Amino acid sequence: MKILVVGGGGREHALCWGLSRSRSVTGLLCAPGNAGIAGIARCVPIKIDEPTRLADLADAENVDLVVVGPEAPLVAGLADLLQSRGRAVFGCSKAAAELEGSKAYAKAFMARHRVPTAAFGVFSEAGEAELFIDTLCERGDRKLVVKADGLAAGKGVVICDGAEQTKLEVGKMVTDGHLGDAGRRVVIEEFLEGREASLMALVDGERVTPLAPAEDHKTIFDSDRGPMTGGMGAISPTPVLDDLSVARAVREVLEPTARGLVAEGRPFRGVLYAGLMLTREGPRVLEFNVRFGDPETQVLIPRLDEDLALLLHAVAIGELPERVRFSSRSAVCVVMAAGGYPGPSDVQPPAVISGLERAAALADVVVFHAGTRSEEGRVMTAGGRVLGVTALGDTLASARARAYQAVDTISFAGAQVRRDIGGRSYT
Ligand code: AMP
Ligand code: GLY
């Protein structure tokens, strides 16, 4: 099989890595890819927001499957375009992608289909939002969450303390346009207490096959402090989502969502990601994504006990498997981010990355590239999340120790690393 992967982050490196190990793969292309992906796939310099050029490439190379990594091209309709040209594609339609593309749509959808989620309101006018904030605070809520409606690369969510801060954040997004169009409309929701987990599932219409659960670490600093990021590290499996909880989340969240999308004429085919808060009352949806998680993919793929290419192709052609097998080992991925992340990272000059080969030579370690670039034979940082260093181990503790051993052999100026990935208390 000849495969084209669309994207150029850590998730796409993990997908390419998994595909390059699939016996069924005879050719692997990636657009645009990155310095790490270039070692295992032919990278083609086409950006993810150039759908016609991507479709032309798929045609010119006559690929058997296109795997779309990021959400933006799905929201823009890339899967529909490829399908209209007769290509098999792993990735959902534009209509189904609205579940991630608009948080306001996702919340209203959940309300319509009784998918459990936090109480909320949607506003594009600051005055109305302020009334809603006062109502929630008067009933006793202290913390509230403000979310930009549109895509904001994981940075559009602010947890606020009290009415004053909440109103301030709403003002920044809705009135001042700090996040551009993505934040002109906001969702304001109640703060949920509990443990967080990510559950992804392969979905085809009403059928749902869960993948192994994972746990992300979203804030930039240790102990879940500081601003939200796209994710600073992940583990899989996670003690917070055992087999029973997975079954419950499938029953109460993923299946009703898949059925609801079919009922609304937007059947889903691809991978659906539910970001869950596991509360005392059961799982509540924090967000839906319509693609593989990043960095969750960097811990799922190394645990996968299947031929990834056959698996993704099967989903693409409507042959959803009933079960997907994973190894019983644990995986931990620690992200190394550029200085300044999650702020505007282009203020940081590119830095040389050293120690990559030594880290990759360690047993049970894979270094996934995200924001990297090759320059005169050297690997340089290109901003954002630079690397995702994944290690496997027989236990969470051993995977974690190995991941940090690898991280400590790598260095670049300004690197930001959380030291507590996989280190939360699970008692
Ligand atoms: P989202 O992009 O909607 O998943 O939000 C990013 C992060 O914000 C989540 O992973 C949670 O850590 C946090 N978060 C979002 N919504 C809530 C909520 N209603 N209650 C508590 N934390 C939340
Ligand atoms: N790690 C969270 C996400 O992929 O959106």
Side-chain angles (χ1 to χ4, degrees):
M1 230 187 304
K2 194 170 177 186
I3 302 185
L4 166 64
V5 174
V6 174
R11 165 186 48 220
E12 288 75 28
H13 193 179
L15 288 167
C16 286
W17 180 83
L19 292 168
S20 71
R21 295 158 63 95
S22 294
R23 289 232 199 108
S24 52
V25 173
T26 51
L28 187 57
L29 292 96
C30 187
N34 62 35
I37 295 174
I40 51 176
R42 176 149 66 87
C43 291
V44 184
I46 300 179
K47 295 205 290 285
I48 61 171
D49 60 358
E50 299 181 288
T52 310
R53 289 189 68 203
L54 289 168
D56 289 348
L57 174 68
D59 286 347
E61 296 285 342
N62 197 19
V63 298
D64 301 289
L65 175 69
V66 182
V67 179
V68 185
E71 60 279 11
L74 295 169
V75 171
L78 178 61
D80 311 68
L81 173 65
L82 291 163
Q83 259 161 5
S84 74
R85 295 199 188 180
R87 295 274 146 220
V89 43
F90 184 88
C92 72
S93 68
K94 176 184 169 117
E98 198 172 0
L99 207 55
E100 175 167 1
S102 166
K103 284 190 189 281
Y105 169 79
K107 295 293 289 193
F109 173 92
M110 286 187 265
R112 280 197 295 282
H113 297 281
R114 297 185 203 290
V115 177
T117 188
F120 71 101
V122 180
F123 304 93
S124 37
E125 205 269 303
E128 285 171 22
E130 289 181 5
L131 288 177
F132 182 71
I133 293 165
D134 287 335
T135 313
L136 288 183
C137 289
E138 274 158 24
R139 78 167 197 189
D141 287 32
R142 200 173 53 79
K143 281 183 166 175
L144 293 176
V145 187
V146 179
K147 302 185 174 184
D149 175 41
L151 296 181
K155 301 174 196 170
V157 174
V158 190
I159 314 267
C160 304
D161 208 351
E164 201 178 324
Q165 194 202 347
T166 314
K167 291 177 186 176
L168 208 72
E169 293 299 338
V170 168
K172 282 191 212 163
M173 289 192 204
V174 172
T175 315
D176 307 339
H178 276 198
L179 291 172
D181 284 348
R184 289 290 180 192
R185 185 156 72 151
V186 292
V187 171
I188 299 173
E189 63 180 39
E190 66 175 334
F191 180 82
L192 296 172
E193 303 272 0
R195 300 298 297 250
E196 241 182 286
S198 313
L199 184 60
M200 286 176 264
L202 301 175
V203 174
D204 188 4
E206 297 196 354
R207 291 181 299 151
V208 172
T209 301
L211 300 175
E215 185 179 342
D216 194 2
H217 296 64
K218 296 252 184 183
T219 63
I220 184 76
F221 301 130
D222 285 26
S223 308
D224 301 323
R225 288 176 305 109
M228 293 292 169
T229 71
M232 289 297 290
I235 65 170
S236 176
T238 166
V240 301
L241 211 54
D242 59 16
D243 290 350
L244 266 181
S245 320
V246 168
R248 182 172 181 185
V250 168
R251 208 171 51 239
E252 295 181 7
V253 171
L254 290 164
E255 286 178 349
T257 301
R259 280 197 300 271
L261 286 166
V262 169
E264 298 198 1
R266 307 177 185 225
F268 194 98
R269 184 179 279 179
V271 61
L272 180 62
Y273 166 126
L276 300 173
M277 188 67 91
L278 306 166
T279 72
R280 275 194 301 201
E281 289 78 38
R284 298 284 180 273
V285 176
L286 294 174
E287 65 165 342
F288 280 121
N289 295 322
V290 298
R291 36 103 191 145
F292 282 112
D294 186 345
E296 286 91 337
T297 307
Q298 291 88 311
V299 285
L300 277 204
I301 303 286
R303 293 189 59 221
L304 185 71
D305 253 349
E306 310 267 356
D307 181 307
L308 179 62
L310 292 181
L311 181 67
L312 300 182
H313 187 256
V315 177
I317 60 170
E319 291 176 6
L320 191 83
E322 275 178 19
R323 186 165 168 259
V324 178
R325 284 168 305 155
F326 287 88
S327 100
S328 58
R329 302 186 83 196
S330 280
V332 171
C333 174
V334 179
V335 168
M336 302 181 76
Y341 180 76
S345 44
D346 49 358
V347 296
Q348 296 286 322
V352 178
I353 307 174
S354 63
L356 284 171
E357 273 150 35
R358 258 190 308 145
L362 293 169
D364 286 331
V365 168
V366 201
V367 180
F368 294 118
H369 290 223
T372 66
R373 203 172 36 219
S374 268
E375 235 176 76
E376 293 162 7
R378 294 181 306 181
V379 181
M380 313 284 293
T381 64
R385 293 181 289 176
V386 175
L387 300 169
V389 180
T390 295
L392 287 164
D394 292 337
T395 61
L396 173 61
S398 62
R400 178 166 191 253
R402 183 53 62 98
Y404 278 108
Q405 186 191 353
V407 164
D408 290 336
T409 67
I410 300 173
S411 60
F412 57 86
Q416 300 191 82
V417 175
R418 270 181 70 156
R419 304 301 309 187
D420 64 345
I421 306 302
R424 287 176 174 145
S425 136
Y426 292 106
T427 49

